Amino acid sequence: MTDYGVLADRLSGSLQAGSPARKRLARNGIDPAALYESVKVHVEEEVTKANEELRKRGLSTIERIFIPGFLGRISLTFGTALLCSVELNESKGRVRAVIFGPPNRDEISRKDFYLTQEAADLQGSTFDETEKVAIGYSPERIAAEIVSALMMREFA
């Protein structure tokens, strides 16, 4: 018989201890979860600004959608063809934004926003030419890049 009390205690202890990556980022003065929450707020502000301009020109607007299986992830659509997914990967110290589009919801563009130089580990990683990387961006700049990339259909 499984003792769920023991499992709950272990889970509680591991959640309080936090991951090594989170501790490393905390030493650098960065709380990934707080930064991601700030990114979400700024994305909402940028979407509002962009939609104002899009409406003036009679174009489709950007909408935030809530997908039940993806709580904690920001999902934005532009028109009926484009979807942008933004999520936090605490263990790697990054916010990843991916734009999907036609013909079959294929990935069009992706950009990783690393919170610190150490999290990026540019020497140890093998980035291909299609993957775009940014390091140390503010939440405001991350949000602006995400919204503008969705409108332009790719990350700069």
Side-chain angles (χ1 to χ4, degrees), residues 100-124:
F100 302 94
N104 298 312
R105 290 286 183 221
D106 289 335
E107 183 177 311
I108 296 174
S109 187
R110 158 193 313 236
K111 190 163 188 175
D112 290 332
F113 300 93
Y114 286 95
L115 308 181
T116 63
Q117 181 75 29
E118 296 81 33
D121 186 25
L122 295 175
Q123 288 77 22

mmCIF file of all heavy atoms in Angstrom, residues 100-124:
data_model
loop_
_atom_site.group_PDB
_atom_site.id
_atom_site.type_symbol
_atom_site.label_atom_id
_atom_site.label_comp_id
_atom_site.label_asym_id
_atom_site.label_seq_id
_atom_site.Cartn_x
_atom_site.Cartn_y
_atom_site.Cartn_z
ATOM 1 N N PHE A 100 3.696 29.471 -34.441
ATOM 2 C CA PHE A 100 3.231 28.389 -35.302
ATOM 3 C C PHE A 100 2.297 28.971 -36.349
ATOM 4 O O PHE A 100 1.592 29.942 -36.081
ATOM 5 C CB PHE A 100 2.456 27.342 -34.490
ATOM 6 C CG PHE A 100 3.238 26.726 -33.367
ATOM 7 C CD1 PHE A 100 3.162 27.227 -32.086
ATOM 8 C CD2 PHE A 100 4.057 25.632 -33.603
ATOM 9 C CE1 PHE A 100 3.879 26.663 -31.049
ATOM 10 C CE2 PHE A 100 4.785 25.065 -32.578
ATOM 11 C CZ PHE A 100 4.695 25.582 -31.291
ATOM 12 N N GLY A 101 2.285 28.366 -37.534
ATOM 13 C CA GLY A 101 1.409 28.876 -38.576
ATOM 14 C C GLY A 101 1.140 27.854 -39.649
ATOM 15 O O GLY A 101 1.474 26.675 -39.499
ATOM 16 N N PRO A 102 0.532 28.326 -40.736
ATOM 17 C CA PRO A 102 0.170 27.421 -41.820
ATOM 18 C C PRO A 102 1.410 26.848 -42.495
ATOM 19 O O PRO A 102 2.475 27.445 -42.388
ATOM 20 C CB PRO A 102 -0.616 28.322 -42.776
ATOM 21 C CG PRO A 102 -0.335 29.716 -42.375
ATOM 22 C CD PRO A 102 0.208 29.705 -40.987
ATOM 23 N N PRO A 103 1.306 25.728 -43.129
ATOM 24 C CA PRO A 103 0.050 25.091 -43.494
ATOM 25 C C PRO A 103 -0.505 24.153 -42.423
ATOM 26 O O PRO A 103 -1.702 23.973 -42.344
ATOM 27 C CB PRO A 103 0.414 24.293 -44.740
ATOM 28 C CG PRO A 103 1.854 23.936 -44.552
ATOM 29 C CD PRO A 103 2.453 25.083 -43.788
ATOM 30 N N ASN A 104 0.284 23.543 -41.600
ATOM 31 C CA ASN A 104 -0.223 22.557 -40.645
ATOM 32 C C ASN A 104 0.219 22.857 -39.232
ATOM 33 O O ASN A 104 0.651 21.970 -38.513
ATOM 34 C CB ASN A 104 0.257 21.150 -41.030
ATOM 35 C CG ASN A 104 -0.251 20.730 -42.366
ATOM 36 O OD1 ASN A 104 -1.420 20.864 -42.647
ATOM 37 N ND2 ASN A 104 0.642 20.253 -43.223
ATOM 38 N N ARG A 105 0.108 24.102 -38.837
ATOM 39 C CA ARG A 105 0.586 24.534 -37.527
ATOM 40 C C ARG A 105 2.055 24.188 -37.336
ATOM 41 O O ARG A 105 2.495 23.777 -36.277
ATOM 42 C CB ARG A 105 -0.251 23.949 -36.391
ATOM 43 C CG ARG A 105 -1.629 24.493 -36.287
ATOM 44 C CD ARG A 105 -1.577 25.896 -35.714
ATOM 45 N NE ARG A 105 -2.937 26.409 -35.542
ATOM 46 C CZ ARG A 105 -3.272 27.644 -35.838
ATOM 47 N NH1 ARG A 105 -2.384 28.465 -36.320
ATOM 48 N NH2 ARG A 105 -4.480 28.063 -35.640
ATOM 49 N N ASP A 106 2.821 24.362 -38.401
ATOM 50 C CA ASP A 106 4.258 24.142 -38.346
ATOM 51 C C ASP A 106 4.913 25.289 -37.581
ATOM 52 O O ASP A 106 4.429 26.422 -37.591
ATOM 53 C CB ASP A 106 4.858 24.083 -39.759
ATOM 54 C CG ASP A 106 4.464 22.816 -40.492
ATOM 55 O OD1 ASP A 106 4.165 21.808 -39.829
ATOM 56 O OD2 ASP A 106 4.459 22.851 -41.733
ATOM 57 N N GLU A 107 6.046 24.984 -36.975
ATOM 58 C CA GLU A 107 6.802 26.024 -36.287
ATOM 59 C C GLU A 107 7.426 26.942 -37.333
ATOM 60 O O GLU A 107 8.128 26.498 -38.230
ATOM 61 C CB GLU A 107 7.894 25.387 -35.434
ATOM 62 C CG GLU A 107 8.666 26.384 -34.632
ATOM 63 C CD GLU A 107 9.702 25.736 -33.733
ATOM 64 O OE1 GLU A 107 9.358 24.782 -33.008
ATOM 65 O OE2 GLU A 107 10.853 26.192 -33.779
ATOM 66 N N ILE A 108 7.146 28.235 -37.210
ATOM 67 C CA ILE A 108 7.676 29.221 -38.145
ATOM 68 C C ILE A 108 8.951 29.849 -37.591
ATOM 69 O O ILE A 108 9.937 30.011 -38.290
ATOM 70 C CB ILE A 108 6.635 30.327 -38.424
ATOM 71 C CG1 ILE A 108 5.416 29.749 -39.117
ATOM 72 C CG2 ILE A 108 7.240 31.452 -39.238
ATOM 73 C CD1 ILE A 108 4.289 30.738 -39.284
ATOM 74 N N SER A 109 8.899 30.222 -36.318
ATOM 75 C CA SER A 109 10.026 30.916 -35.717
ATOM 76 C C SER A 109 10.032 30.670 -34.215
ATOM 77 O O SER A 109 8.984 30.460 -33.606
ATOM 78 C CB SER A 109 9.921 32.415 -36.012
ATOM 79 O OG SER A 109 11.064 33.101 -35.596
ATOM 80 N N ARG A 110 11.237 30.723 -33.634
ATOM 81 C CA ARG A 110 11.396 30.487 -32.199
ATOM 82 C C ARG A 110 12.489 31.402 -31.671
ATOM 83 O O ARG A 110 13.450 31.697 -32.360
ATOM 84 C CB ARG A 110 11.792 29.033 -31.987
ATOM 85 C CG ARG A 110 12.470 28.726 -30.698
ATOM 86 C CD ARG A 110 13.104 27.358 -30.714
ATOM 87 N NE ARG A 110 12.222 26.346 -31.214
ATOM 88 C CZ ARG A 110 11.886 25.247 -30.547
ATOM 89 N NH1 ARG A 110 12.407 25.015 -29.385
ATOM 90 N NH2 ARG A 110 11.069 24.372 -31.070
ATOM 91 N N LYS A 111 12.300 31.836 -30.417
ATOM 92 C CA LYS A 111 13.350 32.630 -29.775
ATOM 93 C C LYS A 111 13.380 32.291 -28.297
ATOM 94 O O LYS A 111 12.351 32.218 -27.645
ATOM 95 C CB LYS A 111 13.112 34.123 -29.968
ATOM 96 C CG LYS A 111 14.291 34.966 -29.520
ATOM 97 C CD LYS A 111 14.220 36.360 -30.091
ATOM 98 C CE LYS A 111 15.492 37.135 -29.818
ATOM 99 N NZ LYS A 111 15.452 38.451 -30.469
ATOM 100 N N ASP A 112 14.599 32.077 -27.794
ATOM 101 C CA ASP A 112 14.813 31.813 -26.379
ATOM 102 C C ASP A 112 15.367 33.072 -25.737
ATOM 103 O O ASP A 112 16.371 33.621 -26.202
ATOM 104 C CB ASP A 112 15.793 30.659 -26.177
ATOM 105 C CG ASP A 112 15.202 29.322 -26.575
ATOM 106 O OD1 ASP A 112 13.965 29.174 -26.486
ATOM 107 O OD2 ASP A 112 15.963 28.433 -26.958
ATOM 108 N N PHE A 113 14.717 33.509 -24.675
ATOM 109 C CA PHE A 113 15.163 34.666 -23.910
ATOM 110 C C PHE A 113 15.765 34.135 -22.615
ATOM 111 O O PHE A 113 15.045 33.756 -21.699
ATOM 112 C CB PHE A 113 13.987 35.598 -23.607
ATOM 113 C CG PHE A 113 13.317 36.135 -24.831
ATOM 114 C CD1 PHE A 113 12.215 35.490 -25.390
ATOM 115 C CD2 PHE A 113 13.785 37.289 -25.444
ATOM 116 C CE1 PHE A 113 11.591 35.992 -26.515
ATOM 117 C CE2 PHE A 113 13.171 37.795 -26.576
ATOM 118 C CZ PHE A 113 12.075 37.137 -27.119
ATOM 119 N N TYR A 114 17.093 34.060 -22.560
ATOM 120 C CA TYR A 114 17.780 33.560 -21.366
ATOM 121 C C TYR A 114 17.890 34.669 -20.342
ATOM 122 O O TYR A 114 18.140 35.827 -20.684
ATOM 123 C CB TYR A 114 19.165 33.024 -21.733
ATOM 124 C CG TYR A 114 19.087 31.695 -22.434
ATOM 125 C CD1 TYR A 114 19.083 31.620 -23.812
ATOM 126 C CD2 TYR A 114 18.991 30.521 -21.703
ATOM 127 C CE1 TYR A 114 18.993 30.399 -24.459
ATOM 128 C CE2 TYR A 114 18.901 29.292 -22.337
ATOM 129 C CZ TYR A 114 18.907 29.237 -23.717
ATOM 130 O OH TYR A 114 18.801 28.034 -24.343
ATOM 131 N N LEU A 115 17.721 34.289 -19.091
ATOM 132 C CA LEU A 115 17.697 35.275 -18.030
ATOM 133 C C LEU A 115 19.091 35.758 -17.647
ATOM 134 O O LEU A 115 19.254 36.889 -17.215
ATOM 135 C CB LEU A 115 16.976 34.699 -16.808
ATOM 136 C CG LEU A 115 15.585 34.111 -17.112
ATOM 137 C CD1 LEU A 115 14.947 33.587 -15.849
ATOM 138 C CD2 LEU A 115 14.699 35.124 -17.802
ATOM 139 N N THR A 116 20.090 34.896 -17.804
ATOM 140 C CA THR A 116 21.465 35.274 -17.495
ATOM 141 C C THR A 116 22.404 34.641 -18.511
ATOM 142 O O THR A 116 22.041 33.691 -19.203
ATOM 143 C CB THR A 116 21.900 34.787 -16.095
ATOM 144 O OG1 THR A 116 21.878 33.370 -16.074
ATOM 145 C CG2 THR A 116 21.037 35.353 -15.000
ATOM 146 N N GLN A 117 23.617 35.146 -18.567
ATOM 147 C CA GLN A 117 24.640 34.590 -19.449
ATOM 148 C C GLN A 117 24.942 33.141 -19.069
ATOM 149 O O GLN A 117 25.112 32.287 -19.923
ATOM 150 C CB GLN A 117 25.916 35.437 -19.350
ATOM 151 C CG GLN A 117 27.045 34.979 -20.240
ATOM 152 C CD GLN A 117 26.812 35.326 -21.697
ATOM 153 O OE1 GLN A 117 26.147 36.292 -22.009
ATOM 154 N NE2 GLN A 117 27.347 34.536 -22.590
ATOM 155 N N GLU A 118 24.989 32.851 -17.757
ATOM 156 C CA GLU A 118 25.294 31.492 -17.302
ATOM 157 C C GLU A 118 24.209 30.513 -17.731
ATOM 158 O O GLU A 118 24.493 29.370 -18.064
ATOM 159 C CB GLU A 118 25.439 31.442 -15.777
ATOM 160 C CG GLU A 118 26.590 32.241 -15.220
ATOM 161 C CD GLU A 118 26.259 33.732 -15.081
ATOM 162 O OE1 GLU A 118 25.095 34.084 -14.815
ATOM 163 O OE2 GLU A 118 27.181 34.544 -15.251
ATOM 164 N N ALA A 119 22.944 30.955 -17.717
ATOM 165 C CA ALA A 119 21.842 30.077 -18.112
ATOM 166 C C ALA A 119 21.938 29.732 -19.593
ATOM 167 O O ALA A 119 21.589 28.633 -20.006
ATOM 168 C CB ALA A 119 20.496 30.737 -17.808
ATOM 169 N N ALA A 120 22.417 30.674 -20.398
ATOM 170 C CA ALA A 120 22.499 30.438 -21.839
ATOM 171 C C ALA A 120 23.556 29.409 -22.182
ATOM 172 O O ALA A 120 23.365 28.601 -23.078
ATOM 173 C CB ALA A 120 22.782 31.742 -22.572
ATOM 174 N N ASP A 121 24.698 29.429 -21.507
ATOM 175 C CA ASP A 121 25.790 28.489 -21.758
ATOM 176 C C ASP A 121 26.065 28.389 -23.262
ATOM 177 O O ASP A 121 25.960 27.329 -23.866
ATOM 178 C CB ASP A 121 25.474 27.119 -21.161
ATOM 179 C CG ASP A 121 26.656 26.157 -21.272
ATOM 180 O OD1 ASP A 121 27.804 26.638 -21.349
ATOM 181 O OD2 ASP A 121 26.421 24.942 -21.298
ATOM 182 N N LEU A 122 26.380 29.506 -23.859
ATOM 183 C CA LEU A 122 26.541 29.575 -25.312
ATOM 184 C C LEU A 122 27.675 28.699 -25.833
ATOM 185 O O LEU A 122 27.610 28.208 -26.948
ATOM 186 C CB LEU A 122 26.765 31.030 -25.750
ATOM 187 C CG LEU A 122 25.580 31.953 -25.501
ATOM 188 C CD1 LEU A 122 25.950 33.376 -25.858
ATOM 189 C CD2 LEU A 122 24.366 31.496 -26.270
ATOM 190 N N GLN A 123 28.712 28.486 -25.041
ATOM 191 C CA GLN A 123 29.805 27.649 -25.514
ATOM 192 C C GLN A 123 29.419 26.174 -25.503
ATOM 193 O O GLN A 123 29.791 25.427 -26.385
ATOM 194 C CB GLN A 123 31.065 27.839 -24.645
ATOM 195 C CG GLN A 123 31.758 29.165 -24.831
ATOM 196 C CD GLN A 123 31.056 30.314 -24.127
ATOM 197 O OE1 GLN A 123 30.299 30.111 -23.190
ATOM 198 N NE2 GLN A 123 31.283 31.523 -24.605
ATOM 199 N N GLY A 124 28.677 25.750 -24.481
ATOM 200 C CA GLY A 124 28.339 24.340 -24.353
ATOM 201 C C GLY A 124 27.144 23.914 -25.176
ATOM 202 O O GLY A 124 26.896 22.739 -25.367
#
